[in-house]
Amino acid sequence: MNTYVRIVVALLLGAFAFAVTTLVVTAGFEPGIEFSLLIGLPVGVSAGLTALFAGYVLLWHRDQAAVGEVPDRVVRLRLAALATIADFFVVTAAGVILYTLADGSMGIGLLVAGLPVTLPLAAVVGYLAAGGSHRGQGEPRTQ
């Protein structure tokens, strides 16, 4: 797949994730919170950026695998993308659970401020965790 096509597909995926997530979160919080869009927008932006990043990287990994050997950098970025997807769902679920079962303000704080902080951290940890996971033991690392 051409790089420009990957970019366009990832942008469309990100825009779709942003729109759907913003609408769902805003509608979900509307009965209890008057300005629920103030919660829906940050969660939607986080979902859109996660989908944009993960969509591009996963398409790039698929294209590299189809050609042959996948470079180490692409494998590491793939794990970073999967870590951000998992982080988005875990932190969003934790925020909603905290909002409904415990303290409402703490759940909202996790959704609005926690997602933008934890998503880049998850990407970095995923990237670093994949450092040598697919190499054989005792094999020297070369640049």
Side-chain angles (χ1 to χ4, degrees):
M1 181 181 292
N2 188 351
T3 301
Y4 298 117
V5 174
R6 265 195 314 263
I7 291 171
V8 169
V9 169
L11 283 171
L12 290 173
L13 182 64
F16 179 75
F18 165 75
V20 169
T21 305
T22 301
L23 288 174
V24 168
V25 171
T26 302
F29 281 104
E30 188 176 13
I33 299 173
E34 188 172 338
F35 298 107
S36 59
L37 187 60
L38 295 176
I39 300 167
L41 278 175
V43 176
V45 167
S46 296
L49 290 175
T50 300
L52 174 72
F53 170 64
Y56 183 82
V57 168
L58 294 175
L59 286 172
W60 187 25
H61 183 272
R62 185 197 65 163
D63 293 343
Q64 292 293 322
V67 172
E69 182 71 23
V70 180
D72 185 38
R73 179 174 173 238
V74 178
V75 171
R76 294 176 87 173
L77 284 171
R78 178 178 173 259
L79 189 58
L82 294 174
T84 57
I85 293 169
D87 178 72
F88 177 79
F89 285 112
V90 167
V91 172
T92 302
V96 170
I97 289 169
L98 276 173
Y99 175 77
T100 56
L101 299 179
D103 184 20
S105 63
M106 211 161 76
I108 291 171
L110 185 60
L111 290 172
V112 172
L115 278 173
V117 171
T118 61
L119 288 173
L121 287 175
V124 169
V125 168
Y127 185 80
L128 294 175
S133 62
H134 72 286
R135 293 182 184 273
Q137 289 186 359
E139 216 177 302
R141 288 183 168 222
T142 58
Q143 292 248 338

